[in-house]
Amino acid sequence: MKVLIEGQNYDLDLLKRLFNSDRDQFYTINQNEGKISTVGYYHNFDSNEIIYMLPKVFMRDEEITVFGFKKEHLVEDSFSPNIKKGDEYNWVRHLSIIFYKSLSEYKKRIKVQNIIKEQEVPNLRSNLGNKEFSYLDLLLSFVNYYKKNKLQITFINKENKNRRPNKVNWEKTVMNSRPILTKNKAPIYQTVYSKSKEINNEEDLFRVYFSILNFFDKEHALNINIPPSIEYVPHRKFKKKKNTLYKLLKKIRSNYFSDSLKRMVRLCELYFSIEENASVKNRTTEFIIVDNYNLVFEDMIDKLVATGEDELLNEYQNSIIPEMKVNRDGKIIDHIYDYQSLIDTSNIFYIGDSKYYKPENKASTISKYKQITYAKNIIQYNIDLFNTEGSALFNTRYRDKITEGYNITPNFFIYGFISDYRNYTDPQISERGEPTNAFHFKYRLFDRDTLFILKYRINFLFVINAYVEMNNQRLRIFRRNIKVKFRKNFIDYFNGQSGGFEYSFYRKKFESSESEDLDSFINQNFKVLNGKCILTKDNFLIIAKHCEDNSLDGILGSFQKFELS
């Protein structure tokens, strides 16, 4: 196994050797060096070498990886043997599997998304057909099957071994079995041979299956513990015995009735089928690579935070939210979901943008204004709908007709980072840097041009693990919790509890019978109140007073001070 990292330079001769080609589809050439330009998986059949091109987030700085050593260490010839030596390199095995699964998940998801069609996604390339298994797919299937059925396999094997033969062929037993010696030096034979021939199909199938599994284990350091009582072809003899095992499988494959053993037969057949197909097609390599990994990161975040295919949403929401992601000016929003607004029980759209950068990089000014444009497009979308149909989407309230105030539209950036390469379970969501704001009038919080962007970072390893491993129930819980967290962070910001703008909030309840008083109050003070107040869904008039704004002092006497919650 070799590990390369996106965006890093490597010796050109090394890359040509690893990729078994002078083709530069995996890297760009600059004199004697090649710069890795793709992220993905590559398998060289000639050398049986698996190569991973990891995302650039795995670099701590220009020289050192997040694993604590230089990038060159991951491609040294001494690296692969060291993986087999124990727990120190367990992270390599786990990371390689999770990373590959994420590529497969992305490949699967883009086929079913309504907005993006596979032929329109030039960033994803593979020489595997839609219905083809990759070598690594099969490897993972073998391992997963064993993990799920280990107890049943052990039980069947034990039952077979415990069957008493009618007549023991001691000559054959002594010659072919290694006994266990007791304290008194008495031999105990775990395997005995009978004079009466008894066909045991399970043992034959186990021999084929575990010979393949052991081959995978030794080739790729999977650390699989196969029970010592199971007989299989050793790794060093496997290639020579492969045809013999295939003939045995064809002979016995129709002798099984349980679903579990049928599945074992199917896995073995797939292995030999892939071996045959590889030679027939003369395919010496297989790969799945992504040119623009930011799209994969975006999809991973969208699945965790704001996917349109959410079981909590109704059919209309699931159809309209993906449509809203594609703005009328052609811009595509990374993440959008509706959730409780910051001021009342109505809903508002939260708009997010994934930032796939190196750890030390931050969003540029261009990104900031792009995000502001996204927000303005969504505001206009809802206002247009309100003006033409007199209704809003999903209980959303963007503009209040009486005060002409606009609800606050939450925006956020979210970055991936890695602080501990062993941590796949803690999202480690935290704020990253100071929030960004944009406005036409500094003191008008409830103005459509007053927008704020909060910035978060999230554990990249948690994201990639959750993307492929998190079930629907856990996914719903995570989405709910992260939406609660994002809303609370915005509220804390506006309440001045997290270094935000120093706003003070005041409110007064106007009953429906007091509508004339409300209209009169708004009209008399409109010049002062414009953009600084809004009427909530439950008829509270809220005024947001900036700490530097003294123009409201004379009209707040009957209002009660409060904090957003």
Side-chain angles (χ1 to χ4, degrees):
M1 180 191 300
K2 307 291 185 187
V3 177
L4 305 169
I5 298 183
E6 175 196 19
Q8 298 300 302
N9 292 315
Y10 297 88
D11 181 76
L12 190 57
D13 290 335
L14 169 68
L15 296 181
K16 289 180 178 179
R17 178 173 60 81
L18 290 179
F19 293 109
N20 197 28
S21 171
D22 291 334
R23 294 175 298 170
D24 56 354
Q25 61 177 320
F26 307 104
Y27 52 88
T28 57
I29 299 175
N30 182 16
Q31 295 182 347
N32 294 325
E33 288 189 321
K35 184 177 182 179
I36 300 300
S37 58
T38 57
V39 170
Y41 149 83
Y42 176 92
H43 179 221
N44 186 333
F45 283 107
D46 290 340
S47 62
N48 204 23
E49 186 86 84
I50 291 180
I51 301 166
Y52 296 98
M53 294 154 275
L54 296 184
K56 57 190 173 186
V57 71
F58 283 89
M59 292 300 299
R60 181 173 295 166
D61 53 41
E62 290 301 320
E63 294 294 329
I64 305 298
T65 66
V66 297
F67 312 117
F69 40 74
K70 292 186 176 182
K71 62 184 183 183
E72 288 80 10
H73 178 75
L74 301 174
V75 291
E76 291 175 353
D77 290 336
S78 60
F79 176 64
S80 293
N82 283 337
I83 296 174
K84 304 179 182 181
K85 291 184 179 179
D87 296 338
E88 181 184 356
Y89 287 92
N90 277 342
W91 59 267
V92 186
R93 290 181 281 271
H94 184 67
L95 174 61
S96 61
I97 291 172
I98 293 297
F99 174 65
Y100 176 78
K101 284 184 175 181
S102 73
L103 295 174
S104 298
E105 174 72 3
Y106 178 67
K107 186 180 179 184
K108 179 179 70 175
R109 278 171 60 87
I110 65 171
K111 292 178 187 176
V112 297
Q113 289 173 356
N114 295 326
I115 299 173
I116 304 174
K117 296 180 181 178
E118 185 176 9
Q119 60 267 26
E120 297 172 353
V121 185
N123 70 303
L124 177 66
R125 288 182 282 144
S126 175
N127 64 346
L128 293 168
N130 290 338
K131 296 182 179 180
E132 286 186 294
F133 271 87
S134 75
Y135 176 86
L136 199 56
D137 283 326
L138 192 60
L139 183 153
L140 296 178
S141 296
F142 263 80
V143 174
N144 290 335
Y145 175 87
Y146 179 56
K147 287 180 178 179
K148 291 180 180 178
N149 298 278
K150 185 175 181 179
L151 291 178
Q152 181 185 4
I153 292 171
T154 304
F155 175 78
I156 293 174
N157 186 64
K158 186 177 180 180
E159 286 289 299
N160 289 335
K161 296 297 182 184
N162 286 339
R163 291 174 185 164
R164 282 187 176 272
N166 295 329
K167 295 181 180 179
V168 177
N169 186 332
W170 286 110
E171 181 181 356
K172 191 173 183 181
T173 298
V174 171
M175 290 180 62
N176 294 281
S177 299
R178 178 175 294 180
I180 298 173
L181 298 179
T182 65
K183 291 182 179 180
N184 298 325
K185 306 297 182 180
I188 297 177
Y189 289 91
Q190 290 181 299
T191 303
V192 294
Y193 292 85
S194 173
K195 291 182 179 179
S196 58
K197 294 187 177 181
E198 180 181 343
I199 298 174
N200 192 323
N201 289 323
E202 285 88 355
E203 285 189 1
D204 288 339
L205 179 57
F206 288 174
R207 177 177 173 81
V208 176
Y209 172 82
F210 281 100
S211 296
I212 299 171
L213 184 65
N214 180 67
F215 173 75
F216 283 145
D217 178 41
K218 301 305 180 186
E219 286 288 302
H220 305 291
L222 302 177
N223 273 4
I224 297 173
N225 294 317
I226 299 175
S229 59
I230 292 180
E231 297 178 5
Y232 54 86
V233 175
H235 175 253
R236 66 183 182 277
K237 297 182 179 179
F238 179 76
K239 290 184 178 180
K240 292 182 179 179
K241 296 286 187 179
K242 194 183 296 184
N243 289 335
T244 303
L245 292 172
Y246 188 28
K247 290 177 182 178
L248 176 60
L249 178 68
K250 289 194 291 186
K251 182 179 179 181
I252 64 174
R253 63 186 173 187
S254 59
N255 296 340
Y256 305 97
F257 301 98
S258 73
D259 290 339
S260 177
L261 293 180
K262 285 181 179 178
R263 170 70 173 158
M264 184 182 283
V265 170
R266 178 61 181 149
L267 284 174
C268 295
E269 287 180 329
L270 277 173
Y271 173 79
F272 290 113
S273 172
I274 286 178
E275 288 289 308
E276 282 189 335
N277 288 340
S279 60
V280 169
K281 297 178 183 178
N282 293 319
R283 188 169 74 199
T284 59
T285 65
E286 63 185 22
F287 62 86
I288 300 175
I289 57 173
V290 178
D291 295 318
N292 299 314
Y293 193 74
N294 59 296
L295 296 180
V296 183
F297 182 63
E298 172 191 324
D299 192 60
M300 290 194 293
I301 295 293
D302 207 50
K303 182 178 178 181
L304 293 181
V305 176
T307 185
E309 292 298 322
D310 193 327
E311 294 180 10
L312 299 178
L313 303 182
N314 60 42
E315 183 177 349
Y316 180 60
Q317 287 171 301
N318 275 327
S319 64
I320 200 69
I321 288 181
E323 179 183 317
M324 292 178 67
K325 292 184 73 172
V326 182
N327 292 179
R328 292 166 185 170
D329 59 1
K331 293 181 174 63
I332 300 177
I333 295 173
D334 285 1
H335 318 294
I336 180 170
Y337 63 86
D338 67 305
Y339 192 64
Q340 184 180 350
S341 81
L342 308 182
I343 61 170
D344 60 13
T345 57
S346 66
N347 279 14
I348 201 75
F349 284 103
Y350 290 65
I351 304 167
D353 194 23
S354 298
K355 294 300 173 190
Y356 172 64
Y357 294 155
K358 287 184 177 180
E360 68 274 10
N361 292 353
K362 295 183 180 179
S364 64
T365 303
I366 294 175
S367 294
K368 166 189 167 182
Y369 283 102
K370 272 185 174 180
Q371 189 66 16
I372 290 170
T373 303
Y374 296 154
K376 289 184 176 181
N377 286 344
I378 293 301
I379 293 171
Q380 190 61 53
Y381 182 99
N382 282 272
I383 296 302
D384 288 347
L385 187 68
F386 182 79
N387 287 338
T388 56
E389 299 183 14
S391 60
L393 286 170
F394 323 147
N395 189 36
T396 56
R397 293 183 74 248
Y398 269 86
R399 186 180 68 194
D400 169 37
K401 290 190 294 185
I402 296 175
T403 65
E404 298 185 13
Y406 283 80
N407 206 338
I408 302 169
T409 299
N411 293 267
F412 62 90
F413 289 152
I414 187 162
Y415 300 79
F417 82 107
I418 300 173
S419 64
D420 180 358
Y421 62 85
R422 299 177 184 87
N423 185 355
Y424 290 83
T425 57
D426 184 358
Q428 295 181 299
I429 299 172
S430 59
E431 295 183 39
R432 184 192 185 192
E434 293 296 319
T436 297
N437 64 289
F439 51 82
H440 283 185
F441 301 95
K442 184 176 181 179
Y443 303 147
R444 296 184 183 180
L445 179 59
F446 299 117
D447 184 89
R448 68 177 295 164
D449 292 313
T450 300
L451 296 165
F452 301 85
I453 305 171
L454 268 59
K455 302 164 188 175
Y456 300 97
R457 63 179 195 166
I458 187 169
N459 178 7
F460 179 84
L461 295 178
F462 169 83
V463 172
I464 200 170
N465 188 66
Y467 186 60
V468 297
E469 299 291 349
M470 192 176 279
N471 60 37
N472 287 335
Q473 181 178 1
R474 290 174 57 209
L475 195 58
R476 288 195 296 271
I477 293 171
F478 179 80
R479 284 191 201 131
R480 182 167 59 245
N481 291 341
I482 200 171
K483 290 173 182 178
V484 170
K485 179 179 178 63
F486 283 179
R487 181 178 183 272
K488 183 180 184 302
N489 287 350
F490 274 99
I491 286 174
D492 289 346
Y493 174 70
F494 290 116
N495 284 334
Q497 297 173 6
S498 59
F501 273 4
E502 289 292 340
Y503 277 100
S504 297
F505 293 92
Y506 298 82
R507 67 183 176 187
K508 181 177 179 179
K509 183 77 174 277
F510 284 85
E511 303 295 344
S512 57
S513 60
E514 301 176 289
S515 58
E516 292 183 5
D517 294 339
L518 173 61
D519 291 342
S520 176
F521 178 79
I522 296 296
N523 290 334
Q524 289 176 13
N525 300 285
F526 188 77
K527 177 73 174 175
V528 178
L529 290 173
N530 185 20
K532 303 175 187 177
C533 69
I534 190 170
L535 188 68
T536 68
K537 184 179 179 181
D538 45 3
N539 290 322
F540 275 102
L541 181 64
I542 295 180
I543 297 177
K545 180 184 179 300
H546 191 274
C547 62
E548 298 175 1
D549 182 13
N550 299 321
S551 64
L552 298 171
D553 292 347
I555 62 173
L556 294 174
S558 60
F559 283 74
Q560 178 185 6
K561 190 175 182 179
F562 79 107
E563 288 189 343
L564 298 179
S565 62

